[in-house]
Amino acid sequence: MALEESHVRRAAHLARLAVSDDQAIGFVDDLSRILDMVDQLQSIDTEGVSPLSHPLDATQRLRADEVTETNQRDTFQRCAPAVENGLYLVPRVVE
């Protein structure tokens, strides 16, 4: 299916984008090349290729799961308008 200017204008309307005549013509060419590249990628045989989350075989360095801050709950709750049993009390929103 060939991409036409009316298709670009329709997509721009749906996306609420203002597109001039010159831009629409340019987008037809750009989008056609992108769709051609997608067609080329779809023609590649990927049978037996496992999906990757990242192209490099790397792992994320993680920090140790240790408590690094002191418990300041009592300090923070002193300035709260309403507290009960260590919990903040807030007005009911949904009845």
Side-chain angles (χ1 to χ4, degrees), residues 1-12 23-29 31-32 35:
M1 176 176 133
L3 191 65
E4 298 176 1
E5 187 178 346
S6 62
H7 297 127
V8 172
R9 290 197 174 283
R10 175 77 174 139
Q23 288 176 324
I25 292 170
F27 288 145
V28 168
D29 295 334
L31 291 172
S32 294
L35 293 174

Side-chain angles (χ1 to χ4, degrees), residues 52-65:
L52 297 172
S53 60
H54 195 278
L56 302 177
D57 188 23
T59 57
Q60 180 78 23
R61 286 187 288 158
L62 302 175
R63 64 175 172 81
D65 189 15

